[in-house]
Amino acid sequence: MRPEIEHDESVPHTHPEPGVDPHAPLPAAARALRVGIGGPVGSGKTALVAALCRSFADELRLGVVTNDIYTTEDADFLKRAGVLDPARIRAVETGCCPHTAIRDDIGANLDAVDELAEALGPLDLVLVESGGDNLTATFSRGLVDRQIFVVDVAGGDKVPRKGGPGVTAADLLVINKTDLAPLVGADLAVMDRDARARRGTLPTIFQSITEDPRASRVADWIRHELAHHRVASPVPVPAGQP
Amino acid sequence: MTAPTMLLLLADGRFPAGAHAHSSGLEAAVAAGRVTDLATLGDYLRGRLATAGLVAAAFAAAACRAAEPSHPRPSPSGEADQSRLRPPPNGDGDRARLTPSPGGDAGQVRRAALARLDAELDARTASLAQRSVSRRQGKALLRAGREIWPAASFDELPAAPGGPHQPLVLGLVGAAAGLDPAQVATVAAHATVTGSASAAVRLLGLDPYQVQALLVRLAAACDATAAQAARAAEEPPERLPAANAPLADIHAEAHATWEVRLFAS
């Protein structure tokens, strides 16, 4: 059992009504929106992917590409969690270079995205999970349309201040495991202040997947990006083509 | 030498064709305890160079020759070089030649030559795992080639489901980059040793200076292999080198079944 934790009202959070979708239906599909999910080892990338799969299971045609250094572990985690059909997951080996596979030499990931579309037909959303890396890892714009960088409070509340391209430039920064903050002595207000200083107007979401197993606010952000993406690229284009 | 910078660009490990994800058998050899240090790495690289390296370099050079009409030269017998690029009688190539197609007659000759090279290389690669890895690497290089040289005639490669064999794509990429078959063979031989050496630095934590010194000592052997491959590429496809290493085939088959693997090969 998770210990009872008092809500810190200074930290932004929401409580979406379960079972009610506040969103208008999305327009017809363009090429799948590709969203990269990166971040340090153990920050909760795979748990976030699982939560998003729960959120989108009956809503979007979803594919997942995972770059975990141990080829099958992340995919197996998602399969065990029962949140995604194994046929919708592709694993990419990165040869001890997780950052290379998502940034400098993205062909294997693009192939995996293509294979998902070939096997499953048109998709709405492809989540590309990076292998656990450090604060300098970032996705190529040739691979993903948007990127989420995931850090966690247990990694230390100084992480946002350290910056790095993930923290400063990711389209969304997720500060994960807020339920652990009191246990590890992390000050969420400090993390919030530093993230704002580093990121300017770019959004940051504090979340605890223990408290919100569907990662509702991250899912909302993706829905918003998907709506924009569909307006911006109405013509279907095969993955990997300019 | 023409196009020296182009040669360096293609040989650079940072060229985005997926090389970083492949140890070319080294991960399996390390797990089997056959490569443990600099000395055994040297043995491994010499073995690779003499087998997979020679074959890949010869097929890459041959594909480059097939792709570039200016490369074929009269063979020692005096027979016109184009004759052995012609498709076999009664083959699909002869029938297809009756209908106009992109690239015209010369395009059909190139298609047929590349299809023969693909079949010959398939026959030289005993391990299914290695065949599919070669095709996956070919697919990755083809993606880069199409993006970088959109005008090149990559469509003349055989349309195999898993992708074309990597050395064939390398030959066409080299031709598109303006390299000659000997330069393409050098790129292939160089990649054979540098790819596994880089994987060894990551897997075994070897001293990178010592590994680079080893590569420097192997440079002459690498050049000799490339030269041998380029000469061999003037022969008909069925006479190209067929050097093989059964233990590498067995390791590749075992590696493909591992549940936990850092490298794709």
Side-chain angles (χ1 to χ4, degrees):
Chain A
M1 286 293 286
R2 186 174 53 80
E4 281 303 311
I5 298 164
E6 286 193 18
H7 262 316
D8 179 350
E9 294 300 331
S10 69
V11 175
H13 64 279
T14 58
H15 299 278
E17 197 66 37
V20 176
D21 182 359
H23 306 278
L26 294 166
R31 160 167 94 45
L33 177 73
R34 302 200 291 254
V35 176
I37 298 180
V41 176
S43 59
K45 296 181 294 299
T46 306
L48 175 59
V49 169
L52 292 172
C53 291
R54 269 180 220 111
S55 255
F56 294 134
D58 301 320
E59 179 183 341
L60 297 176
R61 295 167 297 181
L62 185 63
V64 172
V65 176
T66 177
N67 284 254
D68 194 83
I69 194 168
Y70 294 112
T71 312
T72 56
E73 285 208 345
D74 279 2
D76 286 347
F77 175 86
L78 293 175
K79 290 171 193 171
R80 275 199 309 274
V83 293
L84 197 65
D85 175 359
R88 295 190 170 270
I89 306 169
R90 285 285 187 286
V92 169
E93 291 107 341
T94 63
C96 308
C97 296
H99 51 278
T100 305
I102 61 163
R103 185 183 59 203
D104 312 282
D105 193 349
I106 56 180
N109 271 291
L110 291 173
D111 280 346
V113 172
D114 285 351
E115 286 163 18
L116 281 171
E118 280 161 22
L120 303 168
L123 298 172
D124 300 305
L125 175 67
V126 176
L127 301 175
V128 182
E129 182 196 352
S130 81
D133 211 317
N134 58 36
L135 292 174
T136 66
T138 184
F139 283 87
S140 163
R141 292 289 175 193
L143 175 60
V144 299
D145 304 297
R146 294 287 182 275
Q147 52 189 311
I148 300 174
F149 199 72
V150 183
V151 301
D152 71 302
V153 302
D157 57 14
K158 290 177 185 63
V159 165
R161 193 181 311 171
K162 289 181 181 175
V167 165
T168 59
D171 300 293
L172 176 65
L173 177 67
V174 171
I175 297 180
N176 219 0
K177 308 186 192 176
T178 53
D179 53 305
L180 296 182
L183 305 178
V184 298
D187 186 336
L188 297 184
V190 166
M191 297 185 88
D192 191 31
R193 183 198 67 201
D194 292 345
R196 282 174 204 275
R198 285 285 178 198
R199 294 175 54 73
T201 57
L202 289 169
T204 299
I205 289 176
F206 287 77
Q207 75 168 7
S208 157
I209 287 176
T210 315
E211 292 167 4
D212 177 7
R214 300 169 77 91
S216 312
R217 295 175 60 231
V218 178
D220 280 347
W221 181 84
I222 289 176
R223 285 186 190 99
H224 181 260
E225 295 300 320
L226 188 56
H228 274 282
H229 171 75
R230 284 172 161 164
V231 171
S233 58
V235 182
V237 177
Q241 299 299 311
Chain B
M1 181 201 282
T2 57
T5 300
M6 204 65 97
L7 176 66
L8 293 172
L9 284 173
L10 281 192
D12 192 333
R14 290 166 293 190
F15 189 87
H20 67 97
H22 294 269
S23 77
S24 301
L26 188 89
E27 185 175 27
V30 166
R34 291 183 176 271
V35 175
T36 55
D37 55 14
L38 198 70
T40 44
L41 175 64
D43 294 342
Y44 180 83
L45 295 180
R46 281 185 198 89
R48 288 282 303 168
L49 199 52
T51 53
L54 175 64
V55 173
F59 276 81
C64 180
R65 287 171 60 84
E68 184 46 73
S70 62
H71 289 145
R73 293 181 294 274
S75 59
S77 68
E79 188 188 14
D81 195 70
Q82 288 288 352
S83 66
R84 50 184 148 79
L85 298 180
R86 214 167 276 152
N90 306 322
D92 284 337
D94 277 348
R95 254 181 291 126
R97 218 192 290 193
L98 297 173
T99 52
S101 65
D105 203 49
Q108 278 305 327
V109 171
R110 287 195 295 269
R111 270 173 217 271
L114 291 169
R116 272 183 76 187
L117 286 170
D118 195 76
E120 290 287 341
L121 187 49
D122 232 28
R124 280 160 177 74
T125 316
S127 147
L128 171 63
Q130 288 191 334
R131 286 200 299 279
S132 47
V133 161
S134 170
R135 293 188 180 282
R136 272 170 67 190
Q137 289 187 293
K139 203 172 166 185
L141 180 56
L142 183 57
R143 183 188 287 278
R146 285 190 197 280
E147 293 277 343
I148 300 167
W149 292 279
S153 45
F154 293 114
D155 290 340
E156 289 168 0
L157 283 162
H165 276 301
Q166 194 271 356
L168 271 63
V169 186
L170 180 58
L172 295 205
V173 163
L179 302 190
D180 62 34
Q183 290 175 312
V184 165
T186 304
V187 172
H190 168 266
T192 301
V193 290
T194 53
S196 295
S198 166
V201 170
R202 284 176 262 163
L203 277 174
L204 292 169
L206 298 180
D207 179 340
Y209 301 111
Q210 292 299 318
V211 171
Q212 206 61 39
L214 170 63
L215 290 175
V216 165
R217 289 197 296 278
L218 287 171
C222 197
D223 287 337
T225 299
Q228 186 188 347
R231 282 194 304 276
E234 297 179 17
E235 298 292 324
E238 64 271 18
R239 294 184 59 184
L240 292 187
N244 211 339
L247 191 57
D249 294 345
I250 294 166
H251 279 169
E253 288 298 311
H255 183 264
T257 67
W258 290 6
E259 193 191 346
V260 169
R261 209 174 35 231
L262 301 179
F263 288 84
S265 78

